[in-house]
């Protein structure tokens, strides 16, 4: 029997109680240990700067050099440098403030961390950061899920510009960025990310990749990386070389990756699915291997730029190719081909009152084919094409009466077309023109930050024999945020945020009318959908110095007209198409609808500096996050929510050697709507070691990891494929890096 206390009050009370308890324990324990054994000159260490997730403890990816481990020298001087690096600058922030200066929640993953967990897709790489999970559709396709929001509620940027691919419209579509080439990833959580687009209500992920030489380099530098993983015989490698002379800069990079099918601990299909939907007589369950999950990726790019005293300008073409299978569909795989051309420039003090102008322009030509192996050979089932551009201009103005800030303009265009059996919406052109601003003022102990954005969006669907007459929808949306970082007593601070944001429906939500075989649903759009409206509140308590540092926060997101897929109770027979992605040919029909929803959650990220000695360090990293989400009108749980997650990691550093032992528990997720099966919880035990060896001609970095050492069958409640595709079993991965 459901409690009579409204969900919003139960969830908010629970989350707040957990956060208050965490803050009290953090303060009491920290004060006690600080009094007993104070840490001299301990620098700030705040959310996003935890040892497990931030360049503050693993080496900052500076503008001049790739990220280098902070453990390559046991000297006292290096140790002091390691401690002081917590002043991490956030590139995604309009004024490039440090993490501790931002009211909005930001977390950073460095190049070292990405390299050691360089899964094929960025969703899998970022999974485990506070508030971040993944959509996992097998190893070949995965996007980040932030605070329970996914798809087009999360915007992924590459060097500050939109991807212009097909990953936001379907979970089986890969993100066209290779993690081996990412220098750093910045995740801004919650609706305060509104500066980066109307489809960033849940957050934004900015991936800084190699290519465009936006930093001046004198001489030549580069790196070569090779790595492997036993769970799928993953063999991957990447390399880059760059140099400069008298302002002229060049860069070249490349990567390649090839894997076999993923090894899994038990059955591919979940116990819950096997119980309610047993296979027909004579068929056997897949076990020990997730069939059709092999992949092959390759690509690279070049870049050139010219730098002068107060600016630079450059260009960088790149290609990305991927071929990967669809788990649960033995005869289906995707062949992806993406070409990208980026331009960039920066000018310091171009006009009176303007401190700097930065411009970025990216053109993308994206295509992928969904191929089917038949007795007559390989045939193209569906072809997706997307061509477009993204232009962004940011201008930082001089302080006005103590107010610092920036203004900007963004122009986005996409021409999306899908043909074939899984073309479930018509060819559509999307155009978004935006203006935005960010302003900041410091008053005493308070740093106050405000932001606003207005978007003019248009969607033009072409006339199609499959989808009927053409249609056009125009939306004027916008949002604003107001936040403050209050520091009443050092080293304690409180960040408070209020944000209002709107998102128009995308082309699929407006015009879908066809079988979406990846999710085993027939999707029907609604041309009369209204824009989502989100009002979010967040409070985060931080402790920035001492033996115990970290943050704990609670948030509430009230969404009107939340765009959700609702089952109609009707079904469609896909056998009429002549093929399918596997499974039952009879699939349910779902309708996109506006519904009232709310999200409540908490996040805590704490580091205990157990030992800070001249020659070695010992740290304990603790993580907890939790999100509740339901419809406000019916009280029904929203689908594919992450579970309660608790984790801990012990890190030991000694003379260039770093070891980690981590344990993570994901609780069973049974807060699901009726049409989704519960997801069992699991415990994940991992170990890792990294050794850095500097020489006169370069630096060698060797790393080794053991993951899922308990060989648990782990399924992600955030994945639409969770009952068909578990994570991999026990695995050993490792590699070597040489930087010069």
């Amino acid at each position: 029997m459901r409690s009579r206390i409204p969900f919003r009050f139960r969830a908010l009370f629970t989350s707040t109680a957990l956060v208050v308890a965490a803050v009290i324990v953090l303060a009491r324990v920290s004060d006690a240990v600080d009094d007993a054994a104070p840490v001299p000159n301990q620098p700030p260490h705040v959310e996003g700067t935890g040892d497990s997730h931030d360049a503050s403890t693993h080496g900052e990816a500076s503008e001049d050099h790739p990220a280098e481990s902070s453990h390559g020298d046991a000297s006292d001087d290096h140790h002091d440098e390691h401690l002081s690096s917590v002043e991490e600058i956030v590139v995604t922030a309009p004024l490039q403030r440090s993490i501790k200066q931002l009211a909005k929640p930001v977390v950073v993953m460095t190049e070292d961390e990405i390299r050691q967990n360089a899964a094929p897709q960025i969703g899998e790489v970022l999974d485990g950061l506070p508030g971040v999970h993944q959509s996992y559709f097998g190893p070949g396709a995965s996007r980040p899920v932030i605070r329970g929001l996914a798809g087009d509620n999360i915007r992924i940027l590459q060097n500050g510009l939109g991807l212009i691919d097909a990953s936001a419209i379907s979970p089986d579509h890969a993100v066209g960025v290779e993690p081996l080439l990412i220098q750093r990833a910045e995740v801004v959580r919650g609706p305060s990310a509104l500066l980066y687009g109307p489809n960033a209500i849940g957050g934004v992920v900015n991936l800084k990749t190699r290519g465009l030489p936006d930093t001046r380099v004198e001489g030549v530098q580069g790196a070569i990386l090779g790595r492997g993983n036993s769970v799928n015989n993953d063999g991957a490698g990447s390399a880059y070389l760059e140099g400069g002379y008298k302002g002229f800069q060049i860069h070249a990079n490349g990567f390649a990756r090839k894997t076999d099918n993923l090894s899994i601990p038990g059955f591919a299909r979940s116990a819950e699915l096997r119980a309610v939907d047993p296979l027909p007589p004579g068929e056997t369950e897949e076990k020990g291997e997730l069939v059709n999950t092999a992949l092959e990726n390759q690509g690279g790019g070049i870049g050139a730029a010219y730098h002068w005293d107060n600016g630079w300008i450059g260009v960088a073409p790149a290609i990305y190719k991927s071929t990967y299978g669809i788990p649960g569909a033995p005869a289906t795989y995707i062949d992806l081909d993406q070409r990208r051309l980026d331009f960039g420039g920066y000018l310091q003090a171009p006009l009176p009152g303007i401190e700097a102008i930065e411009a970025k322009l990216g053109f993308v030509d994206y295509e992928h084919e969904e191929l089917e192996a038949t007795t007559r050979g390989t045939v193209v089932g569906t072809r997706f094409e997307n061509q477009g551009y993204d232009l962004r201009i940011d201008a930082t103005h001089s302080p006005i009466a103590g107010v610092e800030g920036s203004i900007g303009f963004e122009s986005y265009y996409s021409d999306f077309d899908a043909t074939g059996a899984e073309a479930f919406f018509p060819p559509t052109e999307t155009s978004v023109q935006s203006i935005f601003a960010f302003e900041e003022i410091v008053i005493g102990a308070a740093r106050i930050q405000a932001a606003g954005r207005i978007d003019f969006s248009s969607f033009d669907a072409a006339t199609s024999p499959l989808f009927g007459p053409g249609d056009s929808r125009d939306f004027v949306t916008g949002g604003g945020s107001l936040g403050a970082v209050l520091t009443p007593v050092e080293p304690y601070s409180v960040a408070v945020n209020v944000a209002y944001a709107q998102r128009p429906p995308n082309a699929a939500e407006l015009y879908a009318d066809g079988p979406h075989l990846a999710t085993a649903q027939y999707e029907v759009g609604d041309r009369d959908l209204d824009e989502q409206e989100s009002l979010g509140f967040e409070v985060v308590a931080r402790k920035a110095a001492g033996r115990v540092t970290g943050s704990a926060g609670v948030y509430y997101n009230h969404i009107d007209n939340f765009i959700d897929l609702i089952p109609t109770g009707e079904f469609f027979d896909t056998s009429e198409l002549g093929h399918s992605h596997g499974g039952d040919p009879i699939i349910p029909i779902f309708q996109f609808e506006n519904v009232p929803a709310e999200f409540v959650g908490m996040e805590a990220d704490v580091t205990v500096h157990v030992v800070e000695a001249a020659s070695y360090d010992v740290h304990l990293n603790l993580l907890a996050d939790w999100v509740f989400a339901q419809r406000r009108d019916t009280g029904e749980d929203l689908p594919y929510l992450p579970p309660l997650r608790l984790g801990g990691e012990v890190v030991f550093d000694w003379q260039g050697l770093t070891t980690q032992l981590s344990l993570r528990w994901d609780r069973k997720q049974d807060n699901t709507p009726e049409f989704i099966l519960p997801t069992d919880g699991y415990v994940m035990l991992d170990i890792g070691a990294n050794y850095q060896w500097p020489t006169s001609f370069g630096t060698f970095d060797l790393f080794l990891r053991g993951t899922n050492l308990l060989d648990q069958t782990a399924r992600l409640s955030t994945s639409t494929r969770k009952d068909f595709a578990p994570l991999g079993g026990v695995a050993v991965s490792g590699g070597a890096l040489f930087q010069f």
Side-chain angles (χ1 to χ4, degrees):
M1 181 178 179
R2 195 176 291 272
S3 171
R4 294 183 179 179
I5 301 175
F7 161 76
R8 62 178 67 89
F9 297 121
R10 288 186 285 118
L12 187 59
F13 174 78
T14 302
S15 295
T16 303
L18 288 171
V19 169
V20 170
V23 171
I24 292 174
V25 171
L26 174 66
R28 292 294 181 89
V29 172
S30 179
D31 289 344
V33 295
D34 286 348
D35 291 341
V39 179
N41 301 321
Q42 178 70 32
H45 184 90
V46 298
E47 181 185 36
T49 61
D51 288 72
S52 59
H53 303 309
D54 179 56
S56 64
T57 56
H58 291 289
E60 181 175 345
S62 72
E63 292 297 331
D64 295 329
H65 299 283
E68 297 180 359
S69 170
S70 58
H71 313 301
D73 190 342
S75 69
D76 292 341
D77 290 341
H78 181 87
H79 185 71
D80 292 340
E81 179 183 346
H82 156 65
L83 290 177
S84 64
S85 64
V86 296
E87 301 293 338
E88 176 70 21
I89 300 300
V90 178
V91 178
T92 309
L95 299 181
Q96 295 195 6
R97 295 295 189 240
S98 66
I99 293 175
K100 70 173 185 177
Q101 294 174 318
L102 294 174
K104 58 189 176 185
V106 181
V107 64
V108 176
M109 179 174 275
T110 69
E111 188 173 26
D112 283 343
E113 296 164 320
I114 294 170
R115 182 187 305 122
Q116 294 184 40
N117 186 30
Q121 284 284 284
I122 189 60
E124 191 169 356
V125 172
L126 298 179
D127 187 9
L129 297 179
V132 183
H133 296 74
Q134 61 164 317
S135 61
Y136 190 72
F137 207 91
S142 180
R143 280 176 58 93
V145 176
I146 302 177
R147 293 181 172 179
L149 289 168
D152 213 26
N153 289 301
I154 306 297
R155 192 175 192 198
I156 303 179
L157 307 176
Q158 182 174 353
N159 301 319
L161 296 176
L163 294 183
I164 314 179
D165 58 9
S167 64
I169 67 166
S170 178
D172 66 326
H173 297 169
V175 177
V177 180
E178 172 53 53
L180 291 173
L181 298 183
I182 297 174
Q183 290 180 275
R184 59 189 278 127
E186 297 179 351
V187 181
V188 184
R189 306 191 298 275
S192 58
L194 62 92
L195 277 182
Y196 310 101
N199 52 348
I201 278 184
V204 64
V205 176
N206 189 19
L207 306 174
K208 176 68 170 70
T209 61
R210 299 191 181 279
L212 190 64
D214 55 359
T215 300
R216 188 165 184 160
V217 174
E218 294 297 335
V220 178
Q221 64 185 33
I224 301 174
L225 168 70
R227 59 167 294 123
N229 193 325
S230 66
V231 77
N232 56 359
N233 293 325
D234 182 1
S238 66
Y240 77 87
L241 182 68
E242 59 190 13
Y245 178 71
K246 293 185 177 181
F248 291 96
Q249 311 290 312
I250 58 172
H251 174 94
N253 64 62
F255 69 90
R257 181 194 299 268
K258 187 173 183 179
T259 79
D260 294 334
N261 287 336
L262 187 71
S263 298
I264 56 177
F267 292 101
R269 299 206 312 158
S270 68
E272 291 82 2
L273 182 61
R274 298 198 308 272
V276 300
D277 186 20
L279 294 179
E283 294 188 16
T284 58
E285 295 280 358
E286 293 180 12
K287 185 178 182 181
E289 180 179 286
L290 196 56
V291 175
N292 201 31
T293 52
L295 61 86
E296 186 171 354
N297 299 346
Q298 59 272 326
I302 58 175
Y306 178 70
H307 290 246
W308 61 95
D309 289 342
N310 64 335
W312 64 271
I313 188 170
V315 60
I319 59 173
Y320 175 89
K321 295 178 178 290
S322 178
T323 303
Y324 61 95
I326 300 296
T332 304
Y333 61 97
I334 289 178
D335 188 15
L336 186 158
D337 189 347
Q338 175 182 277
R339 292 171 173 83
R340 186 180 181 101
L341 179 62
D342 285 327
F343 297 89
Y346 174 86
L347 191 59
Q348 192 172 18
L351 298 169
I354 301 297
E355 293 187 348
I357 290 181
E358 183 176 20
K360 301 174 182 178
L361 173 62
F363 294 95
V364 178
D365 183 1
Y366 172 94
E367 176 183 313
H368 88 241
E369 295 177 334
E370 301 193 354
L371 305 174
E372 309 261 344
T374 70
T375 55
R376 301 184 304 275
T378 300
V379 299
V380 178
T382 310
R383 176 181 288 109
F384 291 86
E385 297 176 287
N386 197 1
Q387 291 85 35
Y389 70 84
D390 192 10
L391 167 68
R392 184 179 176 106
I393 301 173
D394 291 85
T396 303
H397 65 73
S398 302
I400 303 173
V403 177
E404 298 182 77
S406 67
I407 57 175
F409 167 77
E410 184 174 8
S411 177
Y412 173 92
Y413 172 79
S414 165
D415 183 1
F416 194 96
D417 189 12
T419 56
E422 200 181 333
F424 61 100
F425 64 93
T428 305
E429 295 182 57
T430 301
S431 173
V432 185
Q433 313 302 319
S434 311
I435 55 175
F436 50 87
F438 174 89
E439 302 296 334
E440 175 189 272
I441 187 171
V442 178
I443 303 175
R447 181 181 297 270
I448 300 172
Q449 298 169 341
R453 180 177 173 119
I454 299 176
D455 304 287
F456 303 88
S457 304
S458 65
F459 301 87
D460 295 306
T463 299
S464 166
L466 291 177
F467 304 100
D471 183 65
S472 295
R473 289 291 308 272
D474 296 315
F475 297 89
V476 179
T477 59
S481 67
L482 180 63
V485 180
L486 310 174
T487 310
V489 179
E490 290 286 358
Y492 297 94
S493 65
V494 176
V496 182
N497 259 303
V498 180
Y500 173 78
Q502 297 175 310
R503 176 179 82 83
N506 62 29
E509 294 162 344
L510 288 170
Y511 304 119
D513 187 10
H516 193 177
L517 301 178
T519 57
Q521 297 171 347
Y522 189 105
E523 297 182 5
V524 180
D526 183 350
R527 301 188 178 204
D528 296 321
L529 283 175
D530 294 322
E531 62 269 18
Q532 286 187 175
E533 298 182 67
S534 169
L535 181 61
F537 305 88
E538 181 166 12
V539 179
V540 180
R542 297 167 175 165
K543 185 171 184 292
R547 184 71 68 180
V548 179
T549 59
S551 65
V554 59
Y555 60 88
Y556 175 75
N557 198 1
H558 179 102
I559 303 181
D560 289 328
N561 300 323
F562 181 71
I563 300 174
D564 195 13
L565 264 178
I566 309 298
T568 64
E570 300 177 344
F571 296 86
F572 177 80
D573 187 355
T574 62
S575 60
E576 301 174 10
L577 304 176
H579 71 287
S580 73
H581 275 202
D584 193 337
I586 307 299
I587 60 175
I589 298 176
F590 281 68
Q591 170 83 49
F592 284 105
E593 294 183 12
N594 288 126
V595 301
E598 56 190 350
F599 292 71
V600 181
M602 60 82 63
E603 294 157 352
D605 190 12
V606 175
T607 296
V608 181
H609 305 271
V610 181
V611 178
E612 294 278 3
S615 60
Y616 70 96
D617 303 334
V618 179
H619 304 289
L620 173 63
N621 302 313
L622 302 173
L623 168 72
D625 54 25
W626 199 2
V627 59
F628 312 83
Q630 290 188 349
R631 292 180 54 166
R632 300 199 316 272
D633 54 348
T634 64
E636 185 179 24
D637 298 302
L638 292 179
Y640 304 114
L641 293 175
L644 169 66
R645 179 171 60 179
L646 302 174
E649 179 185 43
V650 178
V651 182
F652 174 75
D653 299 330
W654 176 70
Q655 297 186 356
L657 175 66
T658 302
T659 62
Q660 308 98 12
L661 174 64
S662 64
L663 187 69
R664 192 182 92 183
W665 171 66
D666 283 39
R667 182 185 179 275
K668 178 179 180 179
Q669 180 56 281
D670 51 10
N671 293 327
T672 62
E674 293 182 359
F675 60 91
I676 294 179
L677 296 172
T679 306
D680 288 337
Y682 60 89
V683 175
M684 194 69 67
L685 176 65
D686 300 336
I687 61 172
N690 178 83
Y691 182 70
Q692 192 174 84
W693 176 27
T695 69
S696 59
F697 52 86
T699 300
F700 290 93
D701 197 339
L702 307 177
F703 52 92
L704 185 67
R705 295 188 68 201
T707 55
N708 195 7
L709 298 182
L710 302 179
D711 207 25
Q712 295 265 291
T713 296
R715 300 181 187 274
L716 304 180
S717 60
T718 51
S719 168
T720 60
R721 206 66 173 171
K722 67 185 183 65
D723 291 305
F724 298 89
L727 297 179
V730 60
V732 176
S733 63
L737 170 73
F738 175 63
Q739 297 183 93
F740 58 92

